Amino acid sequence: MRKILFVCLGNICRSPAADGVMLHELKRLGLEANYLIDSCGTSAHHVGEPADKRMRSHAMKRGIELPSISRAFNSSEDFEKFDLILAMDKKNFRDLKSMDSSGLNSAKIKLFCDYCSNRNETEVPDPYYGGAKGFEDVLDIVEDGIKGIIKSYEK
Ligand code: 4NP
């Protein structure tokens, strides 16, 4: 079982998009039984909320549901539970690294965009205060990275 956790700030836009796109792709490929996928935020500000309505409606236009309910990263459980912890941006990456005070989980923490091959971004820009294009960009970058993640495990 591959266990992958996507992490952004609020866990209502970018990491729910990665979570939903990954689940969608795994189902399409018949691989969902081999993976445990989850998402969370470095902040607890939106705990208990579903993904942002704008994020969900842009995803739904592509036929993708975003089932996440926001929760905060839990350093006493998540480092141990997951094999790969993917930060959606560099600030999330730094925050995760600082929560790994022992450094023992360092190799598990990576930037989501390390798995992109068609997009040049090094992080997934926060769409929260922007317009429709920001949400479409999130989905385009996420779809590229998810293909790379699945390829890295299934090659
Ligand atoms: P996310 O986006 O980290 O992709 O879920 C954000 C959600 C909420 C806020 C910022 C970013 N906020 O400031 O409330």
Side-chain angles (χ1 to χ4, degrees), residues 17-143:
D19 178 48
V21 169
M22 179 98 190
L23 291 171
H24 183 85
E25 274 301 289
L26 291 172
K27 276 186 196 145
R28 192 176 69 78
L29 296 165
L31 294 169
E32 71 268 32
N34 303 346
Y35 290 80
L36 174 71
I37 303 301
D38 196 7
S39 69
C40 67
T42 55
S43 133
H45 199 72
H46 294 277
V47 166
E49 295 178 22
D52 184 283
K53 209 179 254 177
R54 298 164 295 172
M55 193 73 256
R56 278 187 286 137
S57 80
H58 282 274
M60 198 42 87
K61 284 200 286 179
R62 302 182 187 208
I64 298 165
E65 286 186 52
L66 306 184
S68 73
I69 299 294
S70 179
R71 72 170 180 92
F73 183 78
N74 180 340
S75 58
S76 59
E77 291 179 1
D78 291 329
F79 280 130
E80 193 169 345
K81 180 170 178 186
F82 292 94
D83 311 313
L84 182 60
I85 299 173
L86 291 175
M88 303 310 286
D89 72 24
K90 292 174 186 174
K91 172 78 164 66
N92 310 146
F93 181 82
R94 286 195 300 274
D95 288 343
L96 286 166
K97 287 278 187 180
S98 71
M99 286 187 271
D100 178 32
S101 47
S102 66
L104 288 171
N105 302 290
S106 186
K108 292 184 178 185
I109 307 169
K110 293 184 183 172
L111 270 171
F112 179 86
C113 285
D114 291 350
Y115 289 89
C116 287
S117 54
N118 295 319
R119 302 283 303 204
N120 294 321
E121 287 87 351
T122 53
E123 57 184 352
V124 185
D126 181 350
Y128 192 71
Y129 292 107
K133 182 169 185 304
F135 291 93
E136 287 297 312
D137 283 343
V138 168
L139 289 165
D140 288 341
I141 299 167
V142 158
E143 286 187 332

Side-chain angles (χ1 to χ4, degrees), residues 8-16 45-46 126-129:
C8 62
L9 174 63
N11 191 211
I12 53 171
C13 297
R14 293 164 293 173
S15 61
H45 199 72
H46 294 277
D126 181 350
Y128 192 71
Y129 292 107

